[in-house]
Structures are given as structure tokens and as C-alpha cells.
Amino acid sequence: LANYCEHPTVGVRVKAACVRTCGGCDLSIVKSVFTRCEDQPAAEYPILTLAGEAANCSSLAYFCSGYNNSEYVVQKCPMTCTYCGHPPPPSTTRWQFSTSFV
């Protein structure tokens, strides 16, 4: 979808859905965006799921970086993802997660 990021008709929607693909993700600036540095509850937006269930931040720690949707994990879990100066809990489980916008 990268070819549609600047499309005059659907570009806005493509940029919203494909932030990273359209060059809108710079995780180095995310740290300065957080005024309250606390993780959000699993059921709070954005809802991130593991195996179809809303996941809490301790379960999402593995996905803080290196994945297409890592920016959503960092947004939801700044403390767990060390954007507050606290180390994330270790994760040895590999999962796939998805985002859900309500």
C-alpha cells in the first residue's frame, strides 16, 4: 500500500491504517509524547490482542520493538516498553498479536 500513501482520494485513510509503511513512525520521538507514563489496561484503546484476547502490557513486552505494530504497543505500554526508564519484564513466549480499533 506504500504507493497509495499520497493518493489524493484514499491517501489519508492509507496513512492512518499503515503508519509505518507511509513513514509516519519515529519511535525516537514517542518518549516525549507521554505526559503520564503508565501502562493502559488491556481493554483500553488501542486494544491489542494475543490469540484473540485483549492482552495486558506484561504479555506484550516482547513486541515493544521490531514488529510492524510496535508503535501501538509503545503507545499502550510506555512503562513496560522502557519509555519511562523501567525495564520491561522478560518474555520467552512468542506470540502474534493484532490491533483492534473500536
Side-chain angles (χ1 to χ4, degrees):
L1 290 173
N3 294 334
Y4 293 95
C5 293
E6 300 300 325
H7 190 274
T9 305
V10 296
V12 172
R13 288 188 289 186
V14 172
K15 282 181 183 179
C18 307
V19 177
R20 188 177 203 153
T21 299
C22 294
C25 291
D26 182 2
L27 293 180
S28 66
I29 65 167
V30 172
K31 187 173 188 174
S32 65
V33 172
F34 295 105
T35 55
R36 282 185 0 201
C37 198
E38 53 189 49
D39 293 343
Q40 298 171 6
E44 193 170 313
Y45 177 85
I47 298 172
L48 306 178
T49 61
L50 290 172
E53 300 290 326
N56 61 33
C57 289
S58 62
S59 299
L60 295 167
Y62 185 82
F63 302 102
C64 288
S65 64
Y67 288 86
N68 288 338
N69 293 324
S70 290
E71 62 268 16
Y72 297 112
V73 178
V74 172
Q75 176 187 345
K76 184 173 189 76
C77 308
M79 185 177 288
T80 296
C81 293
T82 69
Y83 278 85
C84 301
H86 303 287
S91 175
T92 57
T93 307
R94 289 187 159 262
W95 299 91
Q96 282 192 317
F97 74 92
S98 64
T99 56
S100 169
F101 299 99
V102 181

